[in-house]
Amino acid sequence: MAEEEIKKTEEVVEVKEEKKKTSKKKTEKKREEVKEVKKELSLEEKKKAIIEKAKKLAEGIVPVGGRGLTKESVEASKIADEEFKGLKTDNMLIPLEDYVKSGIYLGTKVITPDMKPYVFKRRNDGLAIINTKMADEKIRVAAAFLAEYSPEKIVVACKREAGWQAMQTFSKVTGIRVFTKKYPSGIITNTKLPVFFEPELAVIVDPWLDKNLLYDSTLINIPVVSLCDTNNLTSNIDLIIPCNNKSNKSIGLVFWVLAREYLKLKGMDAKVPGIKEFTGEKE
């Protein structure tokens, strides 16, 4: 009887041990399965990270080899290729690549009804793309228009700091009077002011920021040429130059071309410095 009980006890112990082994194996198997799942998730995450990085590289967000590949330059090339596909660009004032590099085509996310005709398309992020061909044509017209006036009969205002370098160089090259930082209201309307003078043409960089000169020009009824971005209203503007008017590169490029064409059309013997003198970029 005692032997039978001992035998039963041994059998129970064996069963328990077997169950423990089976349970242990199942636990180990589950752990392995979890590890595999985690490994798969880790690989998926890595894959996603690589794809995301590739996208960012394509967009120029991540620097490539420390070089200056920017989102703007990549996007500019894409837009330029699409916009000018099948069009002749050999008669443009400057090479298309120079316009592209300056970011002249980059508008804002706001498009006013006045500026809608100059918009080529909207980017996926909502940013408006200005028709670069139209910008080139308007710069050409503006240069010819300016050439109808002598330097002392033109006044330029630019309150935006991004354009101050361009203004100073433009004035130095052409002899045209410019006002940066602040245009003194009444200087062309109040004859009692000691600094009063009578221009016949006004040029502004932004209709909103340079509204004082715009207003004074309407009072004395002289034409106004203005750089206009997609978010600008164009009331009382006689000639619009559609472009990015918030960047030193874009503003600098526009006034570099205007200076060059103005001197050429006027037959003035003056040398126009390189574009970097207008944009303020360092060599």
Side-chain angles (χ1 to χ4, degrees), residues 165-207:
Q165 178 64 39
M167 298 305 105
Q168 291 168 8
T169 310
F170 181 76
S171 179
K172 184 179 178 181
V173 172
T174 62
I176 293 172
R177 190 170 189 176
V178 303
F179 290 97
T180 57
K181 299 182 181 180
K182 184 179 180 181
Y183 161 80
S185 298
I187 197 171
I188 64 174
T189 57
N190 189 346
T191 56
K192 293 180 180 180
L193 291 176
V195 288
F196 171 79
F197 71 106
E198 297 180 84
E200 295 177 0
L201 173 66
V203 180
I204 57 178
V205 173
D206 188 304

Side-chain angles (χ1 to χ4, degrees), residues 103-154:
I104 193 174
Y105 68 97
L106 292 170
T108 69
K109 290 186 178 182
V110 176
I111 303 175
T112 63
D114 297 342
M115 293 303 295
K116 193 173 181 181
Y118 304 102
V119 174
F120 170 63
K121 62 176 285 186
R122 270 192 188 275
R123 223 162 53 174
N124 291 335
D125 60 3
L127 202 67
I129 299 301
I130 296 167
N131 188 314
T132 315
K133 182 69 174 175
M134 293 181 75
D136 176 82
E137 291 170 353
K138 290 294 185 178
I139 293 172
R140 186 189 298 275
V141 173
F145 190 40
L146 262 68
E148 295 179 12
Y149 300 86
S150 57
E152 62 272 12
K153 292 298 181 181
I154 303 173

Side-chain angles (χ1 to χ4, degrees), residues 221-245:
N221 198 28
I222 63 172
V224 178
V225 176
S226 178
L227 278 62
C228 293
D229 210 330
T230 61
N231 65 333
N232 284 134
L233 297 172
T234 62
S235 300
N236 299 316
I237 304 296
D238 297 281
L239 179 55
I240 296 167
I241 299 177
C243 66
N244 172 0
N245 63 5

Side-chain angles (χ1 to χ4, degrees), residues 146-147 149-151 258-266 268:
L146 262 68
Y149 300 86
S150 57
L258 285 175
R260 190 191 70 179
E261 295 302 304
Y262 181 78
L263 295 177
K264 188 191 299 181
L265 294 168
K266 294 292 286 183
M268 296 169 67

Side-chain angles (χ1 to χ4, degrees), residues 36-99:
E36 287 297 319
V37 170
K38 284 184 177 179
K39 190 177 179 182
E40 286 176 11
L41 286 172
S42 180
L43 288 171
E44 280 298 316
E45 286 171 0
K46 286 179 181 178
K47 187 178 176 183
K48 285 180 181 178
I50 291 169
I51 291 170
E52 190 64 30
K53 189 174 181 181
K55 285 180 181 178
K56 288 181 178 180
L57 282 169
E59 293 175 353
I61 297 171
V62 179
V64 180
R67 297 185 181 274
L69 177 63
T70 62
K71 185 175 182 179
E72 286 76 15
S73 63
V74 174
E75 189 67 30
S77 298
K78 290 177 183 177
I79 295 298
D81 289 342
E82 185 179 351
E83 181 176 352
F84 291 98
K85 189 176 181 180
L87 294 178
K88 293 181 180 180
T89 59
D90 54 350
N91 64 339
M92 296 179 79
L93 290 168
I94 60 173
L96 175 60
E97 291 74 18
D98 290 340
Y99 279 127

